[in-house]
Amino acid sequence: MNFEELVKSRHSAMNFLENEQMTEEDFRKIFELTKTAPSAYNLQFTNYLVITDKEKKEKVRELSYNQYKIHTASGVVIVMGNKNSIERPDVEKIYSPLKMLKMMDEVDYETTISTIKNYSDGLKGKQGALDLELSLNAGLHAMLFMLSAKHYGFDTCPMHVHNVEELRKVFNIPNHLEPIMMITIGKSVDKVRARGYRKPVGEFVNFNGY
C-alpha cells in the first residue's frame, strides 16, 4: 500500500488475535524502519523494552488495570526516554564515527560536541525540560514504530504506562530510562470501524498567524 493508504489503515486496535506469535525477527524489521525517526541533534533518545513472554505480559496487565487487550496482544512494547542520551559518552558514540569516516572534520566535531553540551546543560538547568524533551522525541519514535508495524501487517494501540515504579522493579528498568508510553501489538480481531470524528483541518490549522 502507498503511504496515504498506510496512514488511513492504521487504527488503534482494541483487541487482538490471541496466541498470534511475533518473532524477534518481526520486531527487528519494524525497528529497522523505526530507527530512522528524527531526534534532537540525532541523539536518538528512545529505548524500547519488548515483552512477548506470556507470564511477563500478564504482569504488565496486572499493573495496567487489567486491560484485556494486553492479554491478547502478541507483545507489549514499553517506550522509554533515555536520559543518558545527552551525556558526553553517548554523544561521542553517535558523532565519533562521523569524524573517523571524515564526514566531519575536527573543528566541526568539537563545535557540535560543544553545542550539544550547552543544550544538555540547558535541559538539566530547567525543571521539567529534560522530561519534556524525552517525551517529544519518544513520541516521534513511537508514531513511526506504529506505522512501521502496520507496514508489516501488525496492528497497534498506544497506551499510558501505569505504576511505573512497580514496572521498574519487575523488569529491572534502570533509572536513566523513563517509561513514557506503551504500545500493544499483534493482529487485530476488530472489524474495521469507521474512524472516530476528526476535526476539519480548518479548525486546527492556521496559516501565518492567528
Side-chain angles (χ1 to χ4, degrees):
M1 65 180 78
N2 63 35
F3 184 71
E4 182 179 355
E5 292 168 335
L6 176 67
V7 171
K8 289 182 176 180
S9 68
R10 191 217 61 80
H11 289 253
S12 293
M14 296 295 103
N15 195 12
F16 296 91
L17 182 62
E18 195 170 354
N19 298 322
E20 176 75 20
Q21 294 185 337
M22 290 182 66
T23 66
E24 286 193 15
E25 183 58 28
D26 289 327
F27 281 102
R28 289 184 188 282
K29 289 193 296 185
I30 293 168
F31 284 119
E32 281 295 329
L33 295 181
T34 304
K35 73 181 186 182
T36 64
S39 60
Y41 293 101
N42 193 35
L43 296 181
Q44 302 169 50
F45 292 83
T46 313
N47 283 47
Y48 293 85
L49 172 62
V50 178
I51 302 163
T52 56
D53 178 86
K54 288 186 177 180
E55 290 185 8
K56 292 180 179 180
K57 197 154 54 73
E58 287 304 307
K59 189 60 182 177
V60 177
R61 182 185 177 189
E62 290 175 23
L63 295 172
S64 305
Y65 304 107
N66 213 33
Q67 296 184 66
Y68 187 69
K69 59 189 159 189
I70 296 172
H71 170 73
T72 59
S74 301
V76 179
V77 179
I78 310 298
V79 185
M80 301 173 290
N82 186 344
K83 296 178 181 178
N84 284 350
S85 296
I86 60 173
E87 301 298 334
R88 179 140 188 161
D90 280 46
V91 174
E92 289 179 341
K93 183 178 179 180
I94 297 295
Y95 282 95
S96 291
L98 299 179
K99 183 175 70 169
M100 182 181 68
L101 294 171
K102 300 189 184 304
M103 296 170 69
M104 297 179 78
D105 61 27
E106 187 68 31
V107 173
D108 286 341
Y109 175 79
E110 291 300 334
T111 299
T112 300
I113 297 296
S114 177
T115 300
I116 294 173
K117 182 182 184 305
N118 291 336
Y119 159 75
S120 172
D121 291 343
L123 292 178
K124 294 175 184 176
K126 185 177 179 182
Q127 186 174 4
L130 180 55
D131 289 338
L132 176 60
E133 193 73 353
L134 293 178
S135 295
L136 290 171
N137 284 272
L140 288 169
H141 227 271
M143 188 68 239
L144 188 53
F145 172 87
M146 290 188 287
L147 289 173
S148 300
K150 190 63 181 176
H151 171 72
Y152 285 112
F154 297 103
D155 300 293
T156 54
C157 183
M159 303 172 66
H160 288 92
V161 181
H162 301 283
N163 297 303
V164 170
E165 291 312 310
E166 289 87 346
L167 191 74
R168 283 190 187 281
K169 292 176 185 176
V170 171
F171 294 100
N172 298 312
I173 298 173
N175 288 332
H176 70 277
L177 296 179
E178 187 62 39
I180 291 171
M181 63 185 293
M182 67 183 188
I183 301 171
T184 44
I185 184 170
K187 296 288 182 73
S188 175
V189 296
D190 294 330
K191 293 181 179 179
V192 177
R193 300 173 297 171
R195 190 176 297 280
Y197 171 76
R198 295 298 193 269
K199 295 178 182 178
V201 171
E203 284 191 16
F204 66 91
V205 178
N206 279 59
F207 294 93
N208 301 316
Y210 279 86

